[in-house]
């Protein structure tokens, strides 16, 4: 793939990944055939900032976990009211990283 396209993709979508993953994302994208470019452009990543806002507002109901795709953890968090609010407080610090990890997994699934 053209390096200008890859750099434009990273510029537009860099906030969806951890800083230490950007180099690996760039290397993966440089080795991708051009036919997967359309699929890459249509990917919808979860915004870590939105995840944090959801976690602050309704995280004790598990909505933040449902949003990032952790259905099982979302149900458990819903039934325990955020783990007696302890899990909710811990998730306030972890949910942005979780969203970025899920975005990286989604990108890797498309590229395989």
């Amino acid at each position: 793939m053209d390096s200008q396209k890859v750099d434009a993709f990273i510029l537009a979508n860099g906030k969806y990944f951890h800083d230490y993953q950007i180099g690996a994302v760039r290397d993966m994208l440089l080795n991708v055939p051009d036919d997967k470019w359309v699929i890459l452009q249509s990917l919808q990543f979860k915004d870590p900032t939105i995840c944090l806002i959801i976690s602050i507002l309704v995280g004790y109901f598990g909505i933040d976990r449902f949003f990032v795709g952790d259905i099982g953890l979302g149900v458990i968090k819903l039934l325990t009211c955020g783990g007696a609010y302890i899990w909710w407080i811990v998730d306030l610090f972890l949910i942005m990283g979780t969203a970025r990890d899920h975005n990286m997994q989604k990108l890797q699934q498309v590229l395989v």
Side-chain angles (χ1 to χ4, degrees):
M1 187 176 299
D2 184 20
S3 65
Q4 290 178 346
K5 286 183 182 179
V6 171
D7 291 339
F9 180 86
I10 290 174
L11 184 62
N13 298 303
K15 69 178 182 176
Y16 300 122
F17 303 101
H18 291 286
D19 292 336
Y20 65 87
Q21 293 174 331
I22 298 295
V25 169
R26 187 174 195 286
D27 292 339
M28 284 189 301
L29 292 176
L30 285 173
N31 297 324
V32 169
D34 287 333
D35 60 332
K36 289 198 176 189
W37 181 250
V38 175
I39 298 170
L40 287 172
Q41 291 297 321
S42 65
L43 280 178
Q44 295 292 319
F45 296 113
K46 302 294 182 187
D47 191 344
T49 307
I50 299 297
C51 290
L52 179 62
I53 292 169
I54 290 171
S55 187
I56 290 169
L57 297 177
V58 290
Y60 45 89
F61 292 127
I63 305 301
D64 53 349
R65 289 295 179 161
F66 288 117
F67 183 73
V68 295
D70 288 338
I71 304 302
L73 292 176
V75 169
I76 294 169
K77 197 171 174 184
L78 175 65
L79 295 175
T80 62
C81 288
Y85 294 97
I86 295 169
W87 188 2
W88 172 65
I89 292 170
V90 171
D91 258 356
L92 291 176
F93 296 98
L94 299 178
I95 197 67
M96 290 181 75
T98 303
R100 288 184 174 115
D101 291 338
H102 280 277
N103 290 336
M104 186 66 172
Q105 290 172 358
K106 182 187 286 189
L107 181 66
Q108 288 173 339
Q109 287 174 356
V110 169
L111 296 180
V112 172

